[in-house]
Structure formats: structure tokens, C-alpha cells
Amino acid sequence: MPSIFTRIIRGEIPCHKVAEDDHFIAFLDINPLREGHTLVIPKVEVDKFFDLPIDLLSGIMPFSQSVARKIAKVVPCDRIGVSVIGLEVPHAHVHLIPINSLGDMDFSKPKLKFSPEEFNVIAERIKNA
Ligand code: 5GP
């Protein structure tokens, strides 16, 4: 069965996309820790991050860098935190989270809620940064 992220890539499930190239796609996390919390995923479905082929492993950081710079331009924050977890969705991905303190990276905290319109506005601002 395809992962939920593969279904997003195929367009079967909607997402608030902020960037895409031939190998990667970035979209807003549906249950964000912070405004602008973004996921970067390879289009190829591989469960564990360190099982990615070396070309995707080495490509995901430059792609994430370009997305992180855009997020930092439009979301007030001290820096962009980076995390790889994968306990919920078995499709390798990088979390990019605008942070001001260590607590902003606490995945056990309650997540923020945004309306579809609010997600759209955030995604457009990042995309166009
Ligand atoms: P992890 O696998 O790294 O523990 O967490 C997966 C992340 O994917 C979570 O932060 C969760 O909110 C996000 N997520 C799960 N399902 C969806 C979805 O259908 N759409 C989007 N945009 N994010 C999702």
C-alpha cells in the first residue's frame, strides 16, 4: 500500500505545496508545531531516512536549504530547526520548523490548528519568498 506521502505526490490527497523539483517535494505539515512547519520528502518511497540511496540523501539537504531560506524570510524566527523522525509516516522526510527556543521542537506538544485558507496563505508566502 502506498504511503500517505506517495498519495500526496500522486495528487490523490491534497497538500499545501511550497516547492518541488524532479526528486523532492515540500509541503506544509498538516499538524504543525509552528506556523511554517514544512516537510521535505523524496518522491521515491523509502521508509527509513538512512535507507535512501546516496544521491537522494545528498540531494535532500540542498533542496531543504532552499526551502528553509524561504521559510526564514517569511516566518519570524531565530532559525530553522531540522528533524528526522518518521515514527508516524513510513516515508522518509525532513521536518523544517521555524524556532525561537528548544521547546519549539518538542513533538510531544499539542499541535497548532490552521484553517485551509490560513494554510494556503502561509504556503503561498513561502513559495513566493
Ligand atoms: P513523523 O513520521 O516524522 O513522526 O511525523 C509525520 C508528520 O507528517 C507529522 O508531523 C504529521 O503531522 C504529518 N502528516 C501526517 N499525515 C499528513 C498528511 O496527510 N498531510 C500532511 N501535510 N502532513 C501529514
Side-chain angles (χ1 to χ4, degrees):
M1 205 173 85
S3 75
I4 195 139
F5 289 169
T6 292
R7 299 191 63 205
I8 286 174
I9 293 162
R10 290 178 182 167
E12 295 168 6
I13 293 174
C15 74
H16 301 278
K17 188 164 64 178
V18 301
E20 180 173 13
D21 71 6
D22 288 347
H23 303 292
F24 305 104
I25 179 168
F27 51 87
L28 297 179
D29 192 303
I30 200 77
N31 291 308
L33 278 171
R34 301 267 300 160
E35 179 184 2
H37 180 168
T38 297
L39 303 173
V40 176
I41 70 172
K43 290 184 174 177
V44 170
E45 183 176 332
V46 172
D47 176 357
K48 295 178 181 170
F49 190 76
F50 288 117
D51 286 339
L52 283 172
I54 196 75
D55 57 323
L56 291 179
L57 257 187
S58 51
I60 201 165
M61 273 303 150
F63 184 85
S64 299
Q65 179 189 46
S66 71
V67 176
R69 285 180 168 160
K70 288 178 179 218
I71 299 170
K73 272 188 191 162
V74 299
V75 180
C77 64
D78 179 54
R79 63 194 58 229
I80 305 298
V82 180
S83 182
V84 173
I85 302 179
L87 288 171
E88 183 184 332
V89 178
H91 184 140
H93 53 278
V94 173
H95 293 259
L96 300 177
I97 307 173
I99 58 171
N100 294 308
S101 69
L102 190 58
D104 292 337
M105 295 286 291
D106 182 352
F107 281 81
S108 66
K109 272 187 172 170
K111 305 302 186 294
L112 301 179
K113 297 281 174 220
F114 294 110
S115 68
E117 294 72 28
E118 288 170 324
F119 271 123
N120 270 338
V121 170
I122 300 164
E124 284 304 307
R125 284 172 54 221
I126 295 171
K127 202 188 305 179
N128 299 321

